Amino acid sequence: MPRTTRTSAALACALGAAIIVGGCGGGGTGASGPSAAGGGSGQVKVGLITKTETNPFFVKMKEGAEAAAKASGVELLTAAGKFDGDNAGQVTAVENMVAAGVKGILITPSDSKAIVPALRKARSAGVMVIALDSPTEPQDATDALFATDNLKAGELIGQYAKAAMAGKPAKIATLDLAPGVAVGKLRHDGFLKGYGIAEGDPSIVCSQDTGGDQAKGQTAMENCLQKAPDINVVYTINEPAALGAYTALKAKGREKDVLIVSVDGGCTGTKAVQSGQIAATSQQYPLKMAEEGVKAVLTFAKSGTKASGYTDTGATLVSDKPVTGVESKDTAFGLQNCWG
C-alpha cells in the first residue's frame, strides 16, 4: 500500500507535527498548513488530505494526485494526519486549505462522522469536497465519493473463503480495523455476506481490532488462538494485519492449515499471496481514486459542474489458487497493478 524522493523528504521533516507538511525547504503555507506542489498563484488549487503519509496506500494516492495535477496544470496542496484516526489533524487541514483558496478538497476521512462539520463548512464556503476510499457518515456530507466498493471487496474474499473451505466446518477469526471507521465495517460486513453468515454466527469464534497494523494484527491473532486454538479461517481488514496474523500462526506451527484472506492489493500483500502466506486478497486502486478526483475538481473549476454520487474505482480478487464460482486474477496481474 515506490515512494518518490520528495515524499520521503516530507516524511523526514514531519515528525511530531499535527499535520505532516511536505517540502521542508519551501512551498508550504506554514508549519501547520498544507504543502504545495505545482506552483503559480493563478492556478486552480486542489487539496488532498489523507489519513497518514506513511501508509503505502496513501503514498500511492498522493503520487496519483501529483501526476494528475501536473498533467492538468493545477496546484496541489497536500496534508495528512499524524496517524490513522487523527480527526483533529484533518479538521485543521480542511480549514487551512479553505483559507488557501482551494477549489476542491479530496479527503480520506479518518473518522467518517467527526469530520462532517468541517466538511460542511468547507462546502458552504463554495469548495467541492470529494471523499476518497472511505465514505463519510452520512455519505452526502461530501459532494461525491470515489472509492473501492469495500462491501464488494469484502464479499469477494468471503465468497473465496467459503468455496476454498469446500464444506469443511469453519472456525473464523475476524481481525478488524477500529470502531467508527466505515471502511472497516464495510469490509467486515462484506466478508460475512460473501461467506453466507450473519454477525453473531457461532462459526465466528473471535473478533479483534487491529487498526490495520501488522504488530497489532499479530497480537490479535495470538489472543484469538488462546481463545480458540482450532481457528481455520482468518479474515483481515488489510494485508499488514494479515501478515501479523501469519506470524502468530507460524509461531504455533499453524500457518499451513489456516486460510487467511484480506483486502488491499498492495505489492507486499500481493507478494504474500504469491508466496502462500495469504490465500487471496481483494485489490483496490488508490492511484485511480486520486487521478479521477483531481480531474473532477478541474472540471468544477472550469464549468461549475460538481461531481456527485458514488464512483466505484474497482476491486479485483487476486489469488494463485482459484476456486470454482469466484472470478479472480493471478498474482502476475496483481503485481502489475499493485502499489507500495
Side-chain angles (χ1 to χ4, degrees), residues 192-212:
L192 298 186
K193 180 181 178 182
Y195 207 94
I197 56 178
E199 195 70 67
D201 190 279
S203 64
I204 305 169
V205 296
C206 186
S207 294
Q208 295 265 306
D209 290 334
T210 69

Side-chain angles (χ1 to χ4, degrees), residues 140-156:
D140 64 6
T142 60
D143 292 288
L145 169 66
F146 292 0
T148 306
D149 183 337
N150 281 293
L151 186 73
K152 179 64 175 179
E155 188 175 355
L156 285 172

Side-chain angles (χ1 to χ4, degrees), residues 39-336:
S41 60
Q43 292 175 299
V44 172
K45 294 180 181 179
V46 180
L48 172 68
I49 305 169
T50 53
K51 294 180 182 180
T52 72
E53 280 267 355
T54 56
N55 187 316
F57 183 87
F58 301 122
V59 171
K60 180 56 68 173
M61 183 177 283
K62 183 177 177 181
E63 289 176 4
E66 287 172 339
K70 183 177 180 180
S72 303
V74 305
E75 181 179 356
L76 180 69
L77 309 181
T78 65
K82 290 193 296 182
F83 54 87
D84 195 333
D86 181 13
N87 180 70
Q90 289 199 322
V91 168
T92 299
V94 170
E95 292 170 348
N96 288 343
M97 287 182 176
V98 172
V102 296
K103 194 68 176 177
I105 292 174
L106 315 175
I107 185 168
T108 60
S110 280
D111 188 313
S112 56
K113 293 181 179 179
I115 194 65
V116 167
L119 299 184
R120 285 181 170 154
K121 287 181 181 178
R123 292 175 72 190
S124 68
V127 177
M128 182 173 73
V129 179
I130 298 175
L132 304 182
D133 181 50
S134 304
T136 53
E137 295 183 51
Q139 187 171 313
D140 64 6
T142 60
D143 292 288
L145 169 66
F146 292 0
T148 306
D149 183 337
N150 281 293
L151 186 73
K152 179 64 175 179
E155 188 175 355
L156 285 172
I157 57 170
Q159 291 171 342
Y160 178 92
K162 179 72 171 181
M165 289 297 286
K168 182 180 177 180
K171 300 290 185 180
I172 300 170
T174 69
L175 303 192
D176 299 305
L177 187 56
V181 184
V183 63
K185 178 171 171 52
L186 288 167
R187 292 181 186 183
H188 174 97
D189 291 352
F191 170 79
L192 298 186
K193 180 181 178 182
Y195 207 94
I197 56 178
E199 195 70 67
D201 190 279
S203 64
I204 305 169
V205 296
C206 186
S207 294
Q208 295 265 306
D209 290 334
T210 69
D213 177 80
Q214 184 164 339
K216 291 178 181 178
Q218 180 177 343
T219 299
M221 191 72 249
E222 291 167 349
N223 293 340
C224 283
L225 288 171
Q226 287 182 349
K227 180 180 180 181
D230 56 348
I231 286 167
N232 55 11
V233 177
V234 178
Y235 153 81
T236 66
I237 178 64
N238 65 6
E239 292 145 3
L243 290 170
Y246 178 84
T247 300
L249 289 164
K250 187 174 182 179
K252 294 290 187 179
R254 296 289 317 283
E255 77 275 13
K256 296 186 184 298
D257 57 17
V258 177
L259 183 80
I260 301 176
V261 293
S262 196
V263 180
D264 264 351
C267 296
T268 299
T270 303
K271 289 175 183 175
V273 174
Q274 188 179 49
S275 69
Q277 294 169 296
I278 302 172
T281 193
S282 286
Q283 186 172 69
Q284 53 180 342
Y285 306 103
L287 189 148
K288 183 177 180 181
M289 296 176 196
E291 287 181 337
E292 294 301 316
V294 171
K295 291 177 184 177
V297 175
L298 184 59
T299 296
F300 172 54
K302 289 182 175 180
S303 68
T305 302
K306 289 186 176 181
S308 61
Y310 167 59
T311 298
D312 182 0
T313 52
T316 305
L317 184 70
V318 175
S319 179
D320 284 336
K321 297 178 179 178
V323 295
T324 301
V326 187
E327 185 177 349
S328 64
K329 298 285 188 180
D330 62 17
T331 55
F333 171 90
L335 291 170
Q336 288 175 345

Side-chain angles (χ1 to χ4, degrees), residues 1-27:
M1 243 196 270
R3 308 183 182 206
T4 64
T5 301
R6 191 157 69 82
T7 300
S8 298
L11 295 175
C13 69
L15 296 176
I19 292 296
I20 296 176
V21 182
C24 284

